[in-house]
Amino acid sequence: MQNSRFNLFCILCGSILLSSCQNPPEEFRSRFLALGTLVEVQITGAPTQQAQKASTAVREKLQAFTTRWRPFVTDTPLHDSDTRDAELAQINAALAAGESIAISPQAQQIITQAARYSALSGGRFNPAIFKLIQLWGFYNDGDAHGPPPDERAIKKLLAKNPSMQNLVIQDGILSSSNPAVQLDFGAYAKGVAVDMAIDILRDHGIENAIVNAGGDLQAIGRYQHGGTARPWRIGIRHPRQHDQVLASIELKSGEVVFTSGDYERYYIYKNQRYHHILDPATGYPARGVRSVTVIHHNPALADAASTALFVAGVAHWQKVARAMGLRYVMLIDGKGTAHLTPAMQKRVVFEVTPVPDIVISPAPGEKPPCAKPLGAKP
Amino acid sequence: MTTGDAIVLACGLLLSAWLGWQSWVGGPGGEVIVFVNAERHASWPLDQDRQIKVQGVKGASVIQIEGGAVRFVSSPCTHKLCIRSGWLRRAGAATACLPNQVSLLVTGVKSIGQGYDAINF
């Protein structure tokens, strides 16, 4: 009896040890389709079951968010819920008809915040120009291939001057003074969604994770593996050589990296690149910039700002960065020269040889740095 | 043609339109990710030729990898839009058999991710 009890004890101890082996704090990755792109949730230092549960919650939330924030509903929706839950599509239909519409608290928050960022950016980030985006064919289900749209059609849309300032929300009712306003949060919704995803992970007790929505991401905690921990390491892709990392950075907990690039959606027509980042002032793709990368702690702001700085271009990006409160910016211009804020210059390590030409531009409240030679690695 | 057929056909067309812009994106593909029911099912490198059977909601879809590209060879659907979309080879290219809920997505050359936890673009 004594012996069999001892055996049982050994078996119990053994199974506890084994079960702890089956559930080590390992790296967990989940990938799914949402927001019109591939979303990856990467979690370290948490038991697999907990990570799985958290990432499933993120997937469900983001897929519902995608339906809610599509700018329009297809003519042949798959499910009734596709129409019923498509709030932005309903808002756009009401705005086009000149009608007021009751909107959800989430919609109020998104529209109000987007209007604020739009104003701060001097209208360079303008979510009210969905008609222009449709004209170019640069929306999720679109198939833009050139030739570019007729100039008169572009001018006609510009003349109507759709802007976030045309919208008023009072007691939960949205109305517009301009029927040309059609909303598209393509340059904003991803940021809002990443923010939501990180909140969900934290609610599930996850401390170390990256949520990467088609290349735009936020990190919390650190990378943990086998008792060691280090900061998350991010590679920023080269805007022209897609199989190369241009520069790397290490992220502090809670930081966000968003990049807007002319290589994400584009077509070439008569040797000219036409991409999806439209300048609301000209109605044409913004010229002279290949990519803008920003680091911030607010993904929604980072999303809006990377677009706004891209549109602002080499001449005006510092002014817009200041207005939007950005310290960390890297802009790659049309010649491949990297323009950096001093704070950003301290954080990026260029991973290509030769290192691109670099221009350091003073950021808000910062003195211009002393000239010093820049190497590929510190 | 039933209403169901029309819906499936319309969705297929919409998806191919979406895939249209997807396929401009990116350089050569590194691996293909297979999704079943919008959940990641598995991934395979594109530099190793092989044929794979993936169980979807209606039956098995057969996927072929050859010479750095991937395609649907067969699938239990009516219109075979997935097969007609042909070979995918560039990063970002994708196609799907909607009735069987099996989709393919080509991601970038794997080496770009080495040494990094994530790639920003």
Side-chain angles (χ1 to χ4, degrees), chain A residues 31 140 144 233 235 259 266, chain B residues 18 21 24 39-40 115 117 120:
Chain A
R31 285 168 160 179
N140 279 358
R233 272 197 90 207
T259 293
Y266 69 94
Chain B
W18 176 68
W21 72 256
W24 314 325
E39 279 280 21
R40 186 193 160 100
D117 299 314
N120 161 260

Side-chain angles (χ1 to χ4, degrees), chain A residues 173-191:
Chain A
I173 309 286
L174 172 75
S175 50
S176 164
S177 57
N178 183 351
V181 170
Q182 288 286 282
L183 299 175
D184 167 47
F185 291 106
Y188 187 66
K190 220 196 253 181

